Every structure is written in C-alpha cells, then in structure tokens.
Amino acid sequence: MKRRTAELSADDLQTLARSADEGLRVKAALHPRTPLATLLSLATDQAIGVRRALARRMDAPREVLAQLARDPTRAVRCAVATHPGCDEPLRRLLWTDSDGNVRAVAKHAAAIPRPFGEDLARIVRDESVPASLLAEFAELGGQARCAVASHRECPREWLERFRHDADAAVRLIAETRMGLSLDTRRAFAQHRLASYRATAAGSLPWDDAKMPALLADRNERVLLALLRRPDFPAAFYTQITDSPPPAVRLLLATHDALDAAHLQRLLRDPLADVRRRLARRRALSAEQFEVLANDDDTWVKLELVKRPDCPEACLRQWSRAPSELLRRAVFRHPGVTPDILATASALPDNHEEIAKHPLTPQQILVKLADSADLFVRGAVAQNPSTTERMLSQLARDPDSYVRLHVGRNETCPLSLLLDLEHDPDFVVRRHIVWRADCPLDILERRATDENANVRYAVADHRRATAAVLSVLARDAALFVSGRAKERLSGS
C-alpha cells in the first residue's frame, strides 16, 4: 500500500527530489514539508517544469525565490514576478530584467516606484550619478547592467567583470567599451550570436579574410550592419544572399549603387514597401520605370507620380485611374498639361479637382460652371483662371457656398465685390470683409451690418480706420465692442 503524501519524511522527500521522474520531483517541489535545502537543490533542476512549479508554490521561501529570479528561463522569472512573496529587492531585479516580457509582467504585478524609474532613466541617459547608485544597479537585471556598462562613469574594473557576464548584450557592451582588437573582432565574426557578428560586420576592414563569410550571412542584423556602412563597396553587392530578410531588402532599395541583379529582383519583390522605396530612387531607367508603372499597388504609382520626371503618358493614364488618391496626385504634378486636364474631365469624379486647377482650359470651366454639383461650381468660383463673365454668373448662384467662393477669389473684380457685400447670407458678406484687400468704403458700410459676426470681422480687419473702430467700440454686441476697443488701444 502506498504511503500517504502527508506522511512522507524528509528522507523520502529528498529521495523524490533525486528521482529520474520529473513528475516525482515536481511533487517534492510542491510538498509542504520539503526541507529548505531540498527546495534550493530543486531550484537548479534541469527540468523547467520543476523550477516553474517551485516558483508557483504559494509558500515558497524567499531564498528560493531569490535563486529563481535569476533563472535562465523567462517563464520561471515571470512566475516569480507574480508571486505574492516577491519583495521589492527581487522586484527591482525583475523590473530591470533583460527580457521585455519579464519586465512587463513585473510592472503589471507591482508598479515601479517613481524614484527607482527616474534613477534608471538617468543612467540610461548617461547623466552624472553617484557611484553608489551605479553600484546598486550593476547588481540588478540585464537591462540595468547594460545601462551601467554603457555609462561614461562605469569603472574599468566593472567592465572587466561585465566581459564575463551571463547576458550576451552586457558582455558585448563591455567588450566594445574596452576596445576591440582586430583578433577579437575576427573572433566575433565566427560567434554564434548575431549581435557579435554584427559588431564585426560594422568594423572589420573590407579586405579582411572574415568579410566574405559575413557578406554571405543570412542574419538580418549582420547584413544591416554591413549595408549601413557609408563606405560599402559596390563590388560586394553580388556577394549578398539573393533572398535577404525584408528589412535588408528595404535598405538595399535605397542604395544607388545596387547591382543590376539585385535591382531586378527587388522590382518584383513581394513586399510592396520595397517596390515603393525603389520608386523613390534618384535614378530609374525607362525599363525600371515601366515595370513599376505596371505595379498592382497604388502606393507604388503614387511614388512615381511624385517624381518630376514622370512621363506625360503615365500622367494621362493615371488621371482616369480608379484611385482618387492617384488622380489627385496627377493633378498636383507640375508637368500636368491643359490637354491632360481636358481628357481627365471625362470622368465626373475628377470635376471638382479639375474645376479648381489654374491650367484647366476655359471651355472645360464653362461646362463645369453649369454643373449640378455645387462643390464643382464652388471650385470654378475659386479658380484664379475663371473669367469675369463666369464669375458674374456664379455670383448669382442660388447657393451661398458658390457665391462666397466668388467673393474669396483674388481675381474677383470690384464691381462684383460691391454686389456681394449686400448678399442676403451674412457668411458671404463676412467673406468679403475677410479679404485682405477689402476696400475701405466696404468696411465702413459693413460696420453697420445687421449681423454681429460681420461687424466683428470689420473690427478685426487690419485696414479698419480709427473712425470705423470708434463706431464699433459702442456696438451693442459685447464681443464686437470689446475687439474694437482692443484695436484702438493697440493690443
């Protein structure tokens, strides 16, 4: 008959802790009578499940939690961060853990005290801090040790210690701070960690024997370190892998000296952002432009439309494209011609943009001035190329939106302004007053306008005379009289 779990002796529990069966070791880790020495031995167990079970034990001793807080496995450290017995010294260790997930769990379990967060931020910003503060953070998590190793006041003996740190990022910072010899950088080029190989890629001479292996490396970090060097030789592009990671392809697309083979592959890259970057290149051959012009992605074509050398044929084709964004970009292009605008006017969705374009032919503007769409008529009314005859027609439009745009048009003749200042809609009258070149006689008449908003516009106008402002200073509307008094006092 099996002995009941509660009756197990210390020797029995120690036997379970040494068992080859992971399940039995988990039972020993969770048993309420397991001695502290046995629990400490289980805290270094090879099985993650045993260590996690120990970290989740509600009555786990503080000594065990302290050992598990430095466990190499993220899941174990996360379990410690949420443990009710995790005190502030252990939280400080986990708040500065090298793993962002552990830091997030620790911050969620208990908010970081403001002084602690500010001290860490000062070290990260490389500000001058007391040596005792650096020493305190040098014993905390990987994030804190990285910050201390990078700090300008970090003593050399600490850097020597950090060179043997358990965290690879800390070791790399210490190695770099102490100065890397050529032999060290060559050793880094063969290191299993990409961060070390990237350090070698960013500093080894181009003619070094280790460079071909780095150029053939498929790791994103290593390739980016190589390609970001300003002296990257054009002859080395052919040695880079034919299918680099996305971030590397994005960077390659910006290199003007890129070899033809890579460029051809990037022109048909599955990632639209890569093709978009290619469309921004300073120089594109006619063949390359044609490939990108036939791209299915609208944003690629938008980048091509922004180019001053965009061919007229493409502008004409895209002026009737399904994408409104693309059509608007065409109309903003400095190379757009009246003929392109006339052709694009066949599409009703283009009417508003064409109606406001200064190069639109007069015969098109005449047609658009009779449009049933008030926004199209309003666009014609604000077009500086609209003739006086059309402006006169639009000044009698039944919709005030169109009439106010006639009043805002810089080429609007004085005779129309004098008519529009008596418009039944106060918004139109106010837009006449808002004109920077509004005649003084109009300002004087509008100072007695029936609408207070129009009178306020007069009081606010820079050309309003002292006589006009004196009248408005006695206005019944307080916001009008207040503004007039401010103008009279010079404020």
Side-chain angles (χ1 to χ4, degrees), residues 371-400:
S371 172
D373 189 328
L374 73 93
F375 294 107
V376 174
R377 300 197 305 275
V380 176
Q382 64 182 295
N383 193 323
S385 300
T386 301
T387 62
E388 185 175 337
R389 182 177 178 180
M390 278 190 281
L391 287 176
S392 299
Q393 171 191 331
L394 295 167
R396 298 188 297 273
D397 195 278
D399 198 288
S400 61

PDB file of all heavy atoms in Angstrom, residues 371-400:
ATOM      1  N   SER A 371     -22.425  72.912 -63.705  1.00  0.00           N
ATOM      2  CA  SER A 371     -22.572  71.583 -63.101  1.00  0.00           C
ATOM      3  C   SER A 371     -23.699  71.577 -62.068  1.00  0.00           C
ATOM      4  O   SER A 371     -23.979  72.590 -61.407  1.00  0.00           O
ATOM      5  CB  SER A 371     -21.256  71.166 -62.437  1.00  0.00           C
ATOM      6  OG  SER A 371     -21.414  69.983 -61.700  1.00  0.00           O
ATOM      7  N   ALA A 372     -24.334  70.424 -61.920  1.00  0.00           N
ATOM      8  CA  ALA A 372     -25.377  70.278 -60.904  1.00  0.00           C
ATOM      9  C   ALA A 372     -24.781  70.157 -59.500  1.00  0.00           C
ATOM     10  O   ALA A 372     -25.483  70.349 -58.504  1.00  0.00           O
ATOM     11  CB  ALA A 372     -26.216  69.034 -61.217  1.00  0.00           C
ATOM     12  N   ASP A 373     -23.494  69.864 -59.430  1.00  0.00           N
ATOM     13  CA  ASP A 373     -22.801  69.702 -58.140  1.00  0.00           C
ATOM     14  C   ASP A 373     -22.331  71.070 -57.646  1.00  0.00           C
ATOM     15  O   ASP A 373     -21.525  71.739 -58.294  1.00  0.00           O
ATOM     16  CB  ASP A 373     -21.605  68.756 -58.325  1.00  0.00           C
ATOM     17  CG  ASP A 373     -20.971  68.362 -57.001  1.00  0.00           C
ATOM     18  OD1 ASP A 373     -20.992  69.180 -56.067  1.00  0.00           O
ATOM     19  OD2 ASP A 373     -20.450  67.238 -56.915  1.00  0.00           O
ATOM     20  N   LEU A 374     -22.832  71.518 -56.492  1.00  0.00           N
ATOM     21  CA  LEU A 374     -22.473  72.850 -56.000  1.00  0.00           C
ATOM     22  C   LEU A 374     -20.994  72.953 -55.654  1.00  0.00           C
ATOM     23  O   LEU A 374     -20.393  74.019 -55.733  1.00  0.00           O
ATOM     24  CB  LEU A 374     -23.346  73.231 -54.802  1.00  0.00           C
ATOM     25  CG  LEU A 374     -23.109  72.549 -53.448  1.00  0.00           C
ATOM     26  CD1 LEU A 374     -22.149  73.386 -52.593  1.00  0.00           C
ATOM     27  CD2 LEU A 374     -24.414  72.388 -52.693  1.00  0.00           C
ATOM     28  N   PHE A 375     -20.360  71.813 -55.259  1.00  0.00           N
ATOM     29  CA  PHE A 375     -18.930  71.855 -54.934  1.00  0.00           C
ATOM     30  C   PHE A 375     -18.089  72.052 -56.196  1.00  0.00           C
ATOM     31  O   PHE A 375     -17.027  72.679 -56.145  1.00  0.00           O
ATOM     32  CB  PHE A 375     -18.514  70.572 -54.207  1.00  0.00           C
ATOM     33  CG  PHE A 375     -19.141  70.433 -52.848  1.00  0.00           C
ATOM     34  CD1 PHE A 375     -20.154  69.515 -52.627  1.00  0.00           C
ATOM     35  CD2 PHE A 375     -18.733  71.232 -51.801  1.00  0.00           C
ATOM     36  CE1 PHE A 375     -20.738  69.391 -51.379  1.00  0.00           C
ATOM     37  CE2 PHE A 375     -19.302  71.119 -50.546  1.00  0.00           C
ATOM     38  CZ  PHE A 375     -20.317  70.195 -50.333  1.00  0.00           C
ATOM     39  N   VAL A 376     -18.551  71.536 -57.314  1.00  0.00           N
ATOM     40  CA  VAL A 376     -17.854  71.767 -58.581  1.00  0.00           C
ATOM     41  C   VAL A 376     -17.983  73.238 -58.983  1.00  0.00           C
ATOM     42  O   VAL A 376     -17.014  73.883 -59.368  1.00  0.00           O
ATOM     43  CB  VAL A 376     -18.419  70.845 -59.687  1.00  0.00           C
ATOM     44  CG1 VAL A 376     -17.793  71.180 -61.039  1.00  0.00           C
ATOM     45  CG2 VAL A 376     -18.160  69.379 -59.336  1.00  0.00           C
ATOM     46  N   ARG A 377     -19.195  73.800 -58.855  1.00  0.00           N
ATOM     47  CA  ARG A 377     -19.383  75.219 -59.168  1.00  0.00           C
ATOM     48  C   ARG A 377     -18.550  76.084 -58.224  1.00  0.00           C
ATOM     49  O   ARG A 377     -17.964  77.084 -58.633  1.00  0.00           O
ATOM     50  CB  ARG A 377     -20.867  75.586 -59.057  1.00  0.00           C
ATOM     51  CG  ARG A 377     -21.785  74.813 -59.995  1.00  0.00           C
ATOM     52  CD  ARG A 377     -23.128  75.478 -60.158  1.00  0.00           C
ATOM     53  NE  ARG A 377     -23.814  75.733 -58.917  1.00  0.00           N
ATOM     54  CZ  ARG A 377     -24.589  74.883 -58.248  1.00  0.00           C
ATOM     55  NH1 ARG A 377     -24.757  73.628 -58.728  1.00  0.00           N
ATOM     56  NH2 ARG A 377     -25.196  75.213 -57.130  1.00  0.00           N
ATOM     57  N   GLY A 378     -18.495  75.687 -56.944  1.00  0.00           N
ATOM     58  CA  GLY A 378     -17.666  76.434 -55.989  1.00  0.00           C
ATOM     59  C   GLY A 378     -16.192  76.377 -56.345  1.00  0.00           C
ATOM     60  O   GLY A 378     -15.460  77.358 -56.163  1.00  0.00           O
ATOM     61  N   ALA A 379     -15.732  75.214 -56.876  1.00  0.00           N
ATOM     62  CA  ALA A 379     -14.331  75.092 -57.301  1.00  0.00           C
ATOM     63  C   ALA A 379     -14.043  76.005 -58.486  1.00  0.00           C
ATOM     64  O   ALA A 379     -12.976  76.626 -58.567  1.00  0.00           O
ATOM     65  CB  ALA A 379     -14.022  73.644 -57.654  1.00  0.00           C
ATOM     66  N   VAL A 380     -15.000  76.111 -59.422  1.00  0.00           N
ATOM     67  CA  VAL A 380     -14.831  77.035 -60.552  1.00  0.00           C
ATOM     68  C   VAL A 380     -14.770  78.467 -60.032  1.00  0.00           C
ATOM     69  O   VAL A 380     -13.958  79.284 -60.493  1.00  0.00           O
ATOM     70  CB  VAL A 380     -15.985  76.881 -61.568  1.00  0.00           C
ATOM     71  CG1 VAL A 380     -15.859  77.915 -62.684  1.00  0.00           C
ATOM     72  CG2 VAL A 380     -16.000  75.469 -62.152  1.00  0.00           C
ATOM     73  N   ALA A 381     -15.613  78.793 -59.037  1.00  0.00           N
ATOM     74  CA  ALA A 381     -15.673  80.146 -58.492  1.00  0.00           C
ATOM     75  C   ALA A 381     -14.364  80.565 -57.843  1.00  0.00           C
ATOM     76  O   ALA A 381     -14.024  81.755 -57.841  1.00  0.00           O
ATOM     77  CB  ALA A 381     -16.816  80.244 -57.486  1.00  0.00           C
ATOM     78  N   GLN A 382     -13.594  79.615 -57.300  1.00  0.00           N
ATOM     79  CA  GLN A 382     -12.327  79.981 -56.642  1.00  0.00           C
ATOM     80  C   GLN A 382     -11.118  79.844 -57.554  1.00  0.00           C
ATOM     81  O   GLN A 382      -9.996  80.150 -57.151  1.00  0.00           O
ATOM     82  CB  GLN A 382     -12.134  79.133 -55.385  1.00  0.00           C
ATOM     83  CG  GLN A 382     -11.995  77.640 -55.633  1.00  0.00           C
ATOM     84  CD  GLN A 382     -11.850  76.853 -54.352  1.00  0.00           C
ATOM     85  OE1 GLN A 382     -10.855  77.009 -53.630  1.00  0.00           O
ATOM     86  NE2 GLN A 382     -12.829  76.014 -54.050  1.00  0.00           N
ATOM     87  N   ASN A 383     -11.325  79.380 -58.791  1.00  0.00           N
ATOM     88  CA  ASN A 383     -10.221  79.208 -59.735  1.00  0.00           C
ATOM     89  C   ASN A 383      -9.723  80.574 -60.212  1.00  0.00           C
ATOM     90  O   ASN A 383     -10.502  81.386 -60.716  1.00  0.00           O
ATOM     91  CB  ASN A 383     -10.696  78.378 -60.936  1.00  0.00           C
ATOM     92  CG  ASN A 383      -9.544  77.893 -61.796  1.00  0.00           C
ATOM     93  OD1 ASN A 383      -8.559  78.594 -61.997  1.00  0.00           O
ATOM     94  ND2 ASN A 383      -9.673  76.687 -62.310  1.00  0.00           N
ATOM     95  N   PRO A 384      -8.417  80.853 -60.062  1.00  0.00           N
ATOM     96  CA  PRO A 384      -7.897  82.166 -60.499  1.00  0.00           C
ATOM     97  C   PRO A 384      -7.988  82.374 -62.006  1.00  0.00           C
ATOM     98  O   PRO A 384      -7.874  83.510 -62.479  1.00  0.00           O
ATOM     99  CB  PRO A 384      -6.440  82.149 -60.021  1.00  0.00           C
ATOM    100  CG  PRO A 384      -6.101  80.704 -59.866  1.00  0.00           C
ATOM    101  CD  PRO A 384      -7.360  80.020 -59.465  1.00  0.00           C
ATOM    102  N   SER A 385      -8.194  81.288 -62.781  1.00  0.00           N
ATOM    103  CA  SER A 385      -8.291  81.417 -64.243  1.00  0.00           C
ATOM    104  C   SER A 385      -9.728  81.636 -64.720  1.00  0.00           C
ATOM    105  O   SER A 385      -9.961  81.812 -65.920  1.00  0.00           O
ATOM    106  CB  SER A 385      -7.730  80.151 -64.913  1.00  0.00           C
ATOM    107  OG  SER A 385      -6.379  79.951 -64.570  1.00  0.00           O
ATOM    108  N   THR A 386     -10.687  81.609 -63.794  1.00  0.00           N
ATOM    109  CA  THR A 386     -12.083  81.820 -64.185  1.00  0.00           C
ATOM    110  C   THR A 386     -12.277  83.253 -64.667  1.00  0.00           C
ATOM    111  O   THR A 386     -11.834  84.202 -64.017  1.00  0.00           O
ATOM    112  CB  THR A 386     -13.017  81.530 -62.997  1.00  0.00           C
ATOM    113  OG1 THR A 386     -12.810  80.180 -62.571  1.00  0.00           O
ATOM    114  CG2 THR A 386     -14.471  81.707 -63.383  1.00  0.00           C
ATOM    115  N   THR A 387     -12.943  83.411 -65.806  1.00  0.00           N
ATOM    116  CA  THR A 387     -13.129  84.744 -66.400  1.00  0.00           C
ATOM    117  C   THR A 387     -14.142  85.548 -65.602  1.00  0.00           C
ATOM    118  O   THR A 387     -14.961  85.013 -64.839  1.00  0.00           O
ATOM    119  CB  THR A 387     -13.607  84.623 -67.850  1.00  0.00           C
ATOM    120  OG1 THR A 387     -14.891  83.960 -67.854  1.00  0.00           O
ATOM    121  CG2 THR A 387     -12.628  83.823 -68.697  1.00  0.00           C
ATOM    122  N   GLU A 388     -14.115  86.875 -65.822  1.00  0.00           N
ATOM    123  CA  GLU A 388     -15.045  87.774 -65.138  1.00  0.00           C
ATOM    124  C   GLU A 388     -16.490  87.427 -65.483  1.00  0.00           C
ATOM    125  O   GLU A 388     -17.392  87.526 -64.645  1.00  0.00           O
ATOM    126  CB  GLU A 388     -14.730  89.221 -65.516  1.00  0.00           C
ATOM    127  CG  GLU A 388     -15.565  90.237 -64.761  1.00  0.00           C
ATOM    128  CD  GLU A 388     -15.147  91.670 -65.079  1.00  0.00           C
ATOM    129  OE1 GLU A 388     -13.987  91.868 -65.512  1.00  0.00           O
ATOM    130  OE2 GLU A 388     -15.974  92.569 -64.886  1.00  0.00           O
ATOM    131  N   ARG A 389     -16.718  87.022 -66.730  1.00  0.00           N
ATOM    132  CA  ARG A 389     -18.076  86.683 -67.151  1.00  0.00           C
ATOM    133  C   ARG A 389     -18.617  85.493 -66.362  1.00  0.00           C
ATOM    134  O   ARG A 389     -19.779  85.491 -65.923  1.00  0.00           O
ATOM    135  CB  ARG A 389     -18.073  86.378 -68.655  1.00  0.00           C
ATOM    136  CG  ARG A 389     -19.449  86.063 -69.224  1.00  0.00           C
ATOM    137  CD  ARG A 389     -19.339  85.855 -70.720  1.00  0.00           C
ATOM    138  NE  ARG A 389     -20.642  85.492 -71.286  1.00  0.00           N
ATOM    139  CZ  ARG A 389     -20.853  85.255 -72.571  1.00  0.00           C
ATOM    140  NH1 ARG A 389     -19.847  85.355 -73.431  1.00  0.00           N
ATOM    141  NH2 ARG A 389     -22.060  84.928 -73.002  1.00  0.00           N
ATOM    142  N   MET A 390     -17.766  84.469 -66.190  1.00  0.00           N
ATOM    143  CA  MET A 390     -18.203  83.295 -65.417  1.00  0.00           C
ATOM    144  C   MET A 390     -18.392  83.659 -63.953  1.00  0.00           C
ATOM    145  O   MET A 390     -19.309  83.169 -63.291  1.00  0.00           O
ATOM    146  CB  MET A 390     -17.187  82.157 -65.571  1.00  0.00           C
ATOM    147  CG  MET A 390     -17.361  81.345 -66.845  1.00  0.00           C
ATOM    148  SD  MET A 390     -16.335  79.853 -66.853  1.00  0.00           S
ATOM    149  CE  MET A 390     -14.736  80.531 -67.283  1.00  0.00           C
ATOM    150  N   LEU A 391     -17.512  84.511 -63.402  1.00  0.00           N
ATOM    151  CA  LEU A 391     -17.658  84.927 -62.010  1.00  0.00           C
ATOM    152  C   LEU A 391     -18.981  85.671 -61.807  1.00  0.00           C
ATOM    153  O   LEU A 391     -19.653  85.497 -60.779  1.00  0.00           O
ATOM    154  CB  LEU A 391     -16.475  85.815 -61.594  1.00  0.00           C
ATOM    155  CG  LEU A 391     -15.129  85.110 -61.401  1.00  0.00           C
ATOM    156  CD1 LEU A 391     -14.029  86.115 -61.096  1.00  0.00           C
ATOM    157  CD2 LEU A 391     -15.199  84.060 -60.284  1.00  0.00           C
ATOM    158  N   SER A 392     -19.364  86.487 -62.790  1.00  0.00           N
ATOM    159  CA  SER A 392     -20.642  87.206 -62.704  1.00  0.00           C
ATOM    160  C   SER A 392     -21.804  86.224 -62.673  1.00  0.00           C
ATOM    161  O   SER A 392     -22.777  86.401 -61.922  1.00  0.00           O
ATOM    162  CB  SER A 392     -20.786  88.161 -63.897  1.00  0.00           C
ATOM    163  OG  SER A 392     -19.749  89.113 -63.905  1.00  0.00           O
ATOM    164  N   GLN A 393     -21.700  85.170 -63.472  1.00  0.00           N
ATOM    165  CA  GLN A 393     -22.751  84.143 -63.495  1.00  0.00           C
ATOM    166  C   GLN A 393     -22.828  83.435 -62.141  1.00  0.00           C
ATOM    167  O   GLN A 393     -23.919  83.232 -61.591  1.00  0.00           O
ATOM    168  CB  GLN A 393     -22.464  83.141 -64.606  1.00  0.00           C
ATOM    169  CG  GLN A 393     -23.359  81.900 -64.605  1.00  0.00           C
ATOM    170  CD  GLN A 393     -22.845  80.816 -65.556  1.00  0.00           C
ATOM    171  OE1 GLN A 393     -22.194  81.113 -66.558  1.00  0.00           O
ATOM    172  NE2 GLN A 393     -23.136  79.564 -65.239  1.00  0.00           N
ATOM    173  N   LEU A 394     -21.640  83.080 -61.602  1.00  0.00           N
ATOM    174  CA  LEU A 394     -21.600  82.333 -60.343  1.00  0.00           C
ATOM    175  C   LEU A 394     -21.959  83.208 -59.150  1.00  0.00           C
ATOM    176  O   LEU A 394     -22.404  82.693 -58.115  1.00  0.00           O
ATOM    177  CB  LEU A 394     -20.213  81.714 -60.156  1.00  0.00           C
ATOM    178  CG  LEU A 394     -19.832  80.636 -61.183  1.00  0.00           C
ATOM    179  CD1 LEU A 394     -18.349  80.317 -61.100  1.00  0.00           C
ATOM    180  CD2 LEU A 394     -20.657  79.361 -60.967  1.00  0.00           C
ATOM    181  N   ALA A 395     -21.777  84.519 -59.254  1.00  0.00           N
ATOM    182  CA  ALA A 395     -22.140  85.420 -58.160  1.00  0.00           C
ATOM    183  C   ALA A 395     -23.652  85.461 -57.956  1.00  0.00           C
ATOM    184  O   ALA A 395     -24.128  85.918 -56.904  1.00  0.00           O
ATOM    185  CB  ALA A 395     -21.606  86.824 -58.436  1.00  0.00           C
ATOM    186  N   ARG A 396     -24.408  84.999 -58.952  1.00  0.00           N
ATOM    187  CA  ARG A 396     -25.873  84.950 -58.840  1.00  0.00           C
ATOM    188  C   ARG A 396     -26.353  83.518 -58.550  1.00  0.00           C
ATOM    189  O   ARG A 396     -27.550  83.230 -58.678  1.00  0.00           O
ATOM    190  CB  ARG A 396     -26.509  85.458 -60.142  1.00  0.00           C
ATOM    191  CG  ARG A 396     -26.177  86.914 -60.458  1.00  0.00           C
ATOM    192  CD  ARG A 396     -26.990  87.422 -61.643  1.00  0.00           C
ATOM    193  NE  ARG A 396     -26.681  86.688 -62.880  1.00  0.00           N
ATOM    194  CZ  ARG A 396     -25.682  87.011 -63.707  1.00  0.00           C
ATOM    195  NH1 ARG A 396     -24.887  88.042 -63.419  1.00  0.00           N
ATOM    196  NH2 ARG A 396     -25.476  86.314 -64.810  1.00  0.00           N
ATOM    197  N   ASP A 397     -25.432  82.628 -58.204  1.00  0.00           N
ATOM    198  CA  ASP A 397     -25.775  81.233 -57.942  1.00  0.00           C
ATOM    199  C   ASP A 397     -26.748  81.150 -56.763  1.00  0.00           C
ATOM    200  O   ASP A 397     -26.625  81.915 -55.783  1.00  0.00           O
ATOM    201  CB  ASP A 397     -24.504  80.435 -57.623  1.00  0.00           C
ATOM    202  CG  ASP A 397     -24.722  78.932 -57.693  1.00  0.00           C
ATOM    203  OD1 ASP A 397     -25.215  78.357 -56.705  1.00  0.00           O
ATOM    204  OD2 ASP A 397     -24.417  78.359 -58.748  1.00  0.00           O
ATOM    205  N   PRO A 398     -27.724  80.244 -56.812  1.00  0.00           N
ATOM    206  CA  PRO A 398     -28.689  80.140 -55.700  1.00  0.00           C
ATOM    207  C   PRO A 398     -28.077  79.652 -54.391  1.00  0.00           C
ATOM    208  O   PRO A 398     -28.674  79.840 -53.330  1.00  0.00           O
ATOM    209  CB  PRO A 398     -29.719  79.141 -56.235  1.00  0.00           C
ATOM    210  CG  PRO A 398     -29.012  78.369 -57.314  1.00  0.00           C
ATOM    211  CD  PRO A 398     -28.066  79.346 -57.936  1.00  0.00           C
ATOM    212  N   ASP A 399     -26.883  79.034 -54.441  1.00  0.00           N
ATOM    213  CA  ASP A 399     -26.263  78.514 -53.219  1.00  0.00           C
ATOM    214  C   ASP A 399     -25.181  79.468 -52.730  1.00  0.00           C
ATOM    215  O   ASP A 399     -24.303  79.883 -53.490  1.00  0.00           O
ATOM    216  CB  ASP A 399     -25.655  77.127 -53.481  1.00  0.00           C
ATOM    217  CG  ASP A 399     -25.417  76.380 -52.186  1.00  0.00           C
ATOM    218  OD1 ASP A 399     -24.488  76.768 -51.452  1.00  0.00           O
ATOM    219  OD2 ASP A 399     -26.155  75.420 -51.921  1.00  0.00           O
ATOM    220  N   SER A 400     -25.261  79.832 -51.448  1.00  0.00           N
ATOM    221  CA  SER A 400     -24.301  80.797 -50.885  1.00  0.00           C
ATOM    222  C   SER A 400     -22.875  80.266 -50.883  1.00  0.00           C
ATOM    223  O   SER A 400     -21.911  81.037 -50.895  1.00  0.00           O
ATOM    224  CB  SER A 400     -24.706  81.160 -49.457  1.00  0.00           C
ATOM    225  OG  SER A 400     -24.692  80.007 -48.622  1.00  0.00           O
TER     226      SER A 400
END
